[in-house]
Amino acid sequence: AASDVLLLSGGVSVGDRDLVKDTLERCLGVERLLWRVAQKPGKPTYVGRRGEGWVVGLPGNPAAVGSKPSA
């Protein structure tokens, strides 16, 4: 409630494996404004609002976020 923007860096997907979009909308009441932007790389991208706050969800494997490349 105290944040202006919630940025999700990884996890947004399509199909049965997309749990982020459903959780944001059903459980947290986020209103979807934008979905699956035609850009490369980086689709699907999610943008929504909850009250005055913005939610931006980026695609990618959340387990890979912040990991170090192997030698």
Side-chain angles (χ1 to χ4, degrees):
S3 299
D4 295 326
V5 177
L6 171 63
L7 177 63
L8 304 169
S9 58
V12 176
S13 184
V14 273
D16 295 339
R17 294 186 175 224
D18 183 11
L19 303 176
V20 174
K21 184 175 50 141
D22 189 50
T23 301
L24 289 171
E25 294 173 6
R26 285 190 191 189
C27 299
L28 300 176
V30 174
E31 174 191 5
R32 182 185 335 159
L33 301 175
L34 193 73
W35 172 238
R36 296 186 76 174
V37 177
Q39 67 183 23
K40 289 188 181 183
K43 45 181 193 179
T45 300
Y46 181 93
V47 176
R49 286 196 70 132
R50 182 174 179 222
E52 296 295 317
W54 290 90
V55 177
V56 179
L58 303 175
N61 181 346
V65 175
S67 64
K68 296 179 182 178
S70 58

